Amino acid sequence: MNAGERDELLIKLYLVSMRDSGSLLNGVLIKSVGFGGLEYLPIPSNVPKDFYLLNNADLADLASTIGISKAGVFDKSDVYINGSGFSLKSFSAAPPALVNHTARPGFETACRFVGVDIRELDKLVDSYWDLRFKGIISEDVRNSDINSPFKDAKNILKPILEYFLFIGSGRGPSNYSADYILDYSQPHNPSTWHILDPSTAVDLVWDRLIFSLRAKKGMPSNYDKETYCKPNAESIGRWTQYHSGDYRGALHIRAHK
């Protein structure tokens, strides 16, 4: 398992341990921890609580024993705490993604749902490519960069980001939407945990966002702009440019520490 998958299992185990010991999260007693209507089982009494010392195999075995698994790729919630869905975002390794590599058709889905005109987003992507080809920005551009074409477009991007954070993916709304985000840098240390709700999440991470237009992930397999002819070809091609030896048209948005 990668670092993010390991952290997800760890924080779920610590949440179960907090439930079992009658601990508080943000001043609220944790009474329930589970997923999909199923409560995770209690942690066996003979298991030491320093789960972060376990190797990957033993960690996975312990998690499986009490019913913990990784959430599905299209699930917005990773765990339910006291009946509310939480999306888990780890800052201990790579910057967590707000929007995984998604081509323009997926953003069309999001824009339709939240009532944003996709053409406003097109203008931002056009500006990104203009700056990229001029060498003013690189593939990754931070909102803290004065040259970021996205930094002054919160009115356009905020509802789109809220959709991808809490509601769904480019395929549509999730069966397991999220009510909150729980971000953390150390899954075994609750003092590094922060709970964000939809009204504040985007504002709090805005200056830490990183935007990228990428190849491969999120793009059709072996994509070629000249020969790709499926029904979504025009939409995908609208954002896609050939740069650094590949067609790049999947927008990836993540947050650094």
Side-chain angles (χ1 to χ4, degrees):
M1 69 179 77
N2 62 37
E5 292 168 338
R6 178 180 171 84
D7 280 355
E8 182 178 328
L9 295 184
L10 280 171
I11 196 167
K12 289 178 179 179
L13 284 167
Y14 282 104
L15 284 165
V16 171
S17 179
M18 291 170 71
R19 178 202 66 191
D20 294 349
S21 63
S23 298
L24 305 178
L25 178 63
N26 264 27
V28 177
L29 180 67
I30 300 178
K31 298 179 180 179
S32 173
V33 181
F35 187 83
L38 298 176
E39 187 75 6
Y40 296 145
L41 298 174
I43 294 171
S45 58
N46 62 336
V47 175
K49 297 303 188 286
D50 47 0
F51 312 121
Y52 68 96
L53 297 178
L54 296 173
N55 62 41
N56 285 349
D58 290 342
L59 178 65
D61 286 345
L62 174 59
S64 178
T65 296
I66 65 173
I68 291 174
S69 61
K70 186 174 177 2
V73 66
F74 299 115
D75 296 335
K76 291 290 98 177
S77 287
D78 297 298
V79 65
Y80 280 76
I81 305 170
N82 293 346
S84 296
F86 283 75
S87 173
L88 302 173
K89 301 289 185 186
S90 171
F91 283 89
S92 69
L98 281 71
V99 185
N100 274 312
H101 309 77
T102 301
R104 188 177 182 275
F107 279 89
E108 285 185 291
T109 298
C111 285
R112 282 194 296 269
F113 189 92
V114 299
V116 170
D117 188 339
I118 187 71
R119 291 173 295 184
E120 295 301 314
L121 191 52
D122 290 341
K123 295 174 186 176
L124 299 178
V125 172
D126 288 344
S127 180
Y128 169 94
W129 278 121
D130 180 58
L131 294 168
R132 182 92 181 273
F133 279 114
K134 289 177 178 176
I136 296 174
I137 61 172
S138 60
E139 178 176 72
D140 292 347
V141 59
R142 299 188 177 206
N143 254 1
S144 56
D145 184 339
I146 192 173
N147 295 308
S148 170
F150 304 100
K151 65 180 178 63
D152 296 322
K154 187 190 287 189
N155 62 318
I156 297 167
L157 290 165
K158 185 175 180 178
I160 298 171
L161 291 172
E162 289 172 348
Y163 169 87
F164 280 106
L165 283 171
F166 296 98
I167 299 171
S169 69
R171 295 193 176 195
S174 170
N175 291 327
Y176 296 100
S177 60
D179 301 293
Y180 302 97
I181 292 171
L182 175 56
D183 78 36
Y184 56 98
S185 55
Q186 297 177 20
H188 59 283
N189 183 1
S191 69
T192 73
W193 302 2
H194 306 94
I195 295 177
L196 312 178
D197 64 33
S199 67
T200 60
V202 175
D203 292 333
L204 289 172
V205 301
W206 182 254
D207 291 331
R208 296 188 280 129
L209 294 183
I210 306 170
F211 295 81
S212 315
L213 264 293
R214 293 183 172 178
K216 301 294 189 295
K217 290 182 180 180
M219 295 289 287
S221 179
N222 300 316
Y223 177 83
D224 186 302
K225 197 170 185 177
E226 303 303 319
T227 60
Y228 186 76
C229 58
K230 292 188 177 181
N232 59 6
E234 182 177 355
S235 180
I236 291 176
R238 177 66 180 78
W239 285 5
T240 302
Q241 297 289 345
Y242 192 81
H243 193 283
S244 301
D246 216 334
Y247 286 102
R248 304 177 185 277
L251 183 56
H252 185 65
I253 307 172
R254 63 196 197 278
H256 64 85
K257 292 182 181 180

